[in-house]
Amino acid sequence: MLSIAIVGLPNVGKSTLFNALTRSKQADAQNYPFCTIEPNVGVVEVPDERLAPLANVSNAKKIVPTAIEFWDIAGLVKNASQGEGKGNAFLSNIKETDAIAHVVRAFSDGNITHVENRLDPKDDADIINLELIMADWQAVSSRLEKTKKNAKGAQAKEYVKELALLERLAAHLDTGKKASQLEFDDDEGKIMKELHLLTSKPMMYVVNMDDSQQSTDYRPVFEEGVPHIYISAKTEQEISELSAEDAKEFMADLGIEQSGLDRMIKAGYELLDLVTFITSGEIETRAWTVKRGTTAPLAAGVIHTDFIKGFIKADVTNWEDFVAAGGWSKMKETGKLRLEGKQYVVRDGDVMYFHVAT
């Protein structure tokens, strides 16, 4: 399962946000730094309005949406990369996840202590980004020293490309830029993947605002080209504690069409460059997650690894055509049911039935 780390300074609303996302109270959300030590981990369903109508025409007994795992990482502070505030342990937790949700405090509340004793969202974002960059610089410098020792004698030629990349990457990070801002070729990309750098991970900003700020045009941007989600974690937690019907009415009163959490979950899904294909029948209607560009056999392998080797073909149609036709039994009459082979690249919203050899 793909995972997203929720990071930021202490007392910016990370644990409140995590509790709202997971509809739980498992993360401590007290008014003091480092109230979270070990990361809290929760699985969150990805909202998908396509599943209910698909299940309806298939007479499915149940609906199974896809999901993302969220990790509530303890608050980082200035000099975390040097071990300040148990920073080394917290940074290592982030390495285990696939992407980062960087929570930035934009709300004012005198009852909630700010670790820097001021309210400056842009500076807060810069502090966390710098700590991630510094942690990466240390990792790259360590790898560079090790590579230099190995690149001697007959083995030197094997390390030419790696040495050049590491030296360029160390210099790049030293200027305060993220690893994701460095250009590299396909061969260098393989080395970059091995490094598991924090600033190589896809990231979005989650700006935690006052309710009054959300009703205005207050929309701070901390980094161009990076997704920004604007929410009130406090309000989102209130919404998460309501029934679906009451939540809908509450959001309508606030003038909210879609909860911030739903927007955040969907943004995370897009951030990880995922697409959803769907299987639908009487037993269940289920959403499946694959990376964009995945071929049909590998998509079948998400259901069961044996399906990769046994893949023969797949019946494929768009979910809207499937609903309009009234299910599999009537799809052939529409002329919109396609038979796809091993080279087919799965698209978001495909409804698929796999034929496999047993």
Side-chain angles (χ1 to χ4, degrees):
M1 183 179 297
L2 291 158
S3 57
I4 297 178
I6 302 175
V7 308
L9 289 170
N11 296 345
V12 297
K14 298 185 310 301
S15 294
T16 300
L17 181 63
F18 175 85
N19 287 336
L21 277 165
T22 57
R23 295 180 177 271
S24 72
K25 295 184 182 296
Q26 71 182 76
D28 201 351
Q30 300 301 315
N31 178 27
Y32 56 87
F34 315 123
C35 64
T36 301
I37 301 298
E38 293 300 322
N40 297 293
V41 181
V43 176
V44 179
E45 294 181 351
V46 176
D48 195 331
E49 65 280 359
R50 299 170 294 193
L51 300 182
L54 285 167
N56 184 50
V57 298
S58 296
N59 295 315
K61 293 183 175 65
K62 64 178 180 178
I63 295 175
V64 184
T66 190
I68 292 180
E69 200 171 64
F70 281 92
W71 291 43
D72 176 30
I73 306 293
L76 299 171
V77 293
K78 191 177 291 184
N79 297 320
S81 58
Q82 308 297 322
E84 189 71 27
K86 298 188 178 181
N88 289 330
F90 301 161
L91 288 165
S92 67
N93 293 148
I94 302 171
K95 282 195 173 184
E96 298 181 43
T97 61
D98 299 295
I100 295 173
H102 182 168
V103 182
V104 180
R105 175 175 173 173
F107 68 89
S108 57
D109 188 333
N111 295 318
I112 300 179
T113 306
H114 191 291
V115 72
E116 295 289 330
N117 295 315
R118 51 96 183 107
L119 185 62
D120 188 336
K122 177 66 168 67
D123 191 54
D124 289 356
D126 289 343
I127 287 173
I128 296 301
N129 285 330
L130 182 58
E131 293 307 320
L132 298 179
I133 290 168
M134 290 175 67
D136 281 348
W137 181 86
Q138 290 175 2
V140 171
S141 297
S142 177
R143 172 73 173 258
L144 180 57
E145 289 305 309
K146 189 180 295 184
T147 302
K148 283 180 178 178
K149 289 178 182 178
N150 293 332
K152 293 179 180 178
Q155 293 182 310
K157 288 184 179 180
E158 299 176 22
Y159 292 94
V160 171
K161 189 129 192 169
E162 182 176 332
L163 272 173
L165 173 63
L166 291 173
E167 287 173 348
R168 189 158 56 92
L169 182 55
H172 174 83
L173 293 166
D174 197 39
T175 64
K177 294 179 181 177
K178 296 180 178 180
S180 59
Q181 296 171 304
L182 182 72
E183 294 186 3
F184 46 83
D185 61 31
D186 291 343
D187 289 336
E188 291 173 329
K190 294 174 184 176
I191 300 170
M192 290 291 288
K193 283 185 179 180
E194 292 174 11
L195 294 171
H196 300 290
L197 298 178
L198 300 176
T199 61
S200 283
K201 295 179 183 292
M203 191 185 79
M204 65 173 141
Y205 288 100
V206 181
V207 188
N208 189 8
M209 307 190 299
D210 293 317
D211 286 333
S212 59
Q213 292 173 319
Q214 290 201 98
S215 62
T216 68
D217 291 329
Y218 179 71
R219 293 289 186 272
V221 175
F222 306 110
E223 188 175 349
E224 294 294 339
V226 177
H228 287 58
I229 308 297
Y230 303 96
I231 67 167
S232 164
K234 183 179 178 181
T235 299
E236 296 298 333
Q237 187 164 30
E238 291 177 8
I239 293 172
S240 72
E241 292 170 353
L242 300 173
S243 66
E245 187 175 332
D246 288 343
K248 189 174 182 180
E249 185 177 336
F250 182 57
M251 287 192 295
D253 291 340
L254 294 175
I256 301 173
E257 292 183 7
Q258 187 181 38
S259 77
L261 298 184
D262 282 355
R263 287 185 283 114
M264 181 179 168
I265 294 166
K266 287 186 175 180
Y269 205 67
E270 293 170 3
L271 195 65
L272 293 167
D273 201 23
L274 307 176
V275 296
T276 298
F277 73 89
I278 304 148
T279 54
S280 190
E282 290 186 4
I283 296 176
E284 66 179 19
T285 293
R286 181 186 288 257
W288 304 88
T289 298
V290 293
K291 279 281 189 181
R292 191 178 304 279
T294 298
T295 57
L298 293 178
V302 174
I303 299 173
H304 196 293
T305 53
D306 289 347
F307 288 1
I308 300 175
K309 188 177 180 180
F311 178 88
I312 300 171
K313 59 185 178 181
D315 294 329
V316 184
T317 189
N318 175 267
W319 76 274
E320 290 177 307
D321 292 334
F322 186 90
V323 172
W328 287 117
S329 62
K330 299 178 182 179
M331 273 306 305
K332 289 182 180 179
E333 299 172 15
T334 67
K336 294 181 178 179
L337 182 64
R338 309 189 310 276
L339 196 60
E340 301 288 358
K342 294 182 178 181
Q343 302 305 314
Y344 179 71
V345 175
V346 176
R347 302 171 188 169
D348 189 63
D350 278 347
V351 180
M352 306 183 76
Y353 181 87
F354 297 103
H355 299 265
V356 296
T358 56

